[in-house]
């Protein structure tokens, strides 16, 4: 069983930056595909970014391309999401997720989930 704990959320003004972290335990981190999703009130859970097991390949949702960057440190069993040029529409609960399978952009492709961290961007 893999446990995921997110941190780094908070309140930031539009145009600002935040870095989210997700610490993993209980599994073989280097074998896990990792991803970030987000969910705003009344909306479906949305793919934000994903990264392969060795960090060589990343993927981003269209709404965050060029502004967000996902990375991982396998030695620290942690994945990061660097968010820049934040917009009010980025306001959501951000979830870290993991899977031992090939990566994808659908929530049901990920077995393990964190509790989420709130990101609020004020205008």
């Amino acid at each position: 069983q893999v446990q995921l704990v997110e941190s780094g959320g908070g309140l930031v003004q539009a145009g600002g930056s935040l870095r989210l972290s997700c610490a993993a335990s209980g599994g073989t981190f280097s074998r896990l595909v990792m991803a970030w999703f987000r969910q705003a009130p009344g909306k479906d859970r949305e793919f934000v970014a994903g990264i392969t097991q060795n960090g060589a390949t990343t993927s981003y949702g269209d709404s965050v391309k060029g502004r967000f960057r996902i990375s991982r440190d396998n030695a620290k069993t942690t994945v990061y999401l660097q968010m820049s040029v934040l917009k009010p529409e980025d306001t959501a609960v951000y979830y870290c997720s993991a899977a031992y399978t090939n990566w994808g952009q659908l929530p049901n492709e990920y077995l393990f989930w964190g509790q989420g961290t709130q990101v609020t961007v004020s205008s």
Side-chain angles (χ1 to χ4, degrees):
Q1 191 75 1
V2 176
Q3 292 80 43
L4 303 172
V5 178
E6 302 97 334
S7 61
L11 174 64
V12 63
Q13 288 189 331
S17 299
L18 277 177
R19 188 177 83 154
L20 305 183
S21 299
C22 171
S25 62
T28 306
F29 186 77
S30 61
R31 292 176 51 206
L32 288 166
V33 169
M34 301 298 297
W36 288 94
F37 287 80
R38 68 185 182 186
Q39 189 165 19
K43 295 189 176 182
D44 293 335
R45 195 163 292 193
E46 174 190 17
F47 175 79
V48 175
I51 188 166
T52 52
Q53 289 88 338
N54 64 1
T57 304
T58 58
S59 178
Y60 297 91
D62 288 342
S63 60
V64 307
K65 282 180 181 176
R67 300 188 297 120
F68 290 12
R69 187 173 72 88
I70 188 171
S71 61
R72 66 190 293 162
D73 186 334
N74 284 358
K76 296 182 178 180
T77 66
T78 300
V79 64
Y80 305 96
L81 185 68
Q82 178 67 49
M83 305 185 294
S84 303
V85 195
L86 282 161
K87 305 175 181 180
E89 50 265 43
D90 294 319
T91 296
V93 177
Y94 283 71
Y95 296 92
C96 177
S97 61
Y100 282 117
T101 60
N102 292 332
W103 71 341
Q105 298 190 1
L106 298 176
N108 61 12
E109 295 177 285
Y110 292 84
L111 181 60
F112 306 107
W113 292 86
Q115 293 299 307
T117 185
Q118 177 71 46
V119 172
T120 302
V121 184
S122 63
S123 58

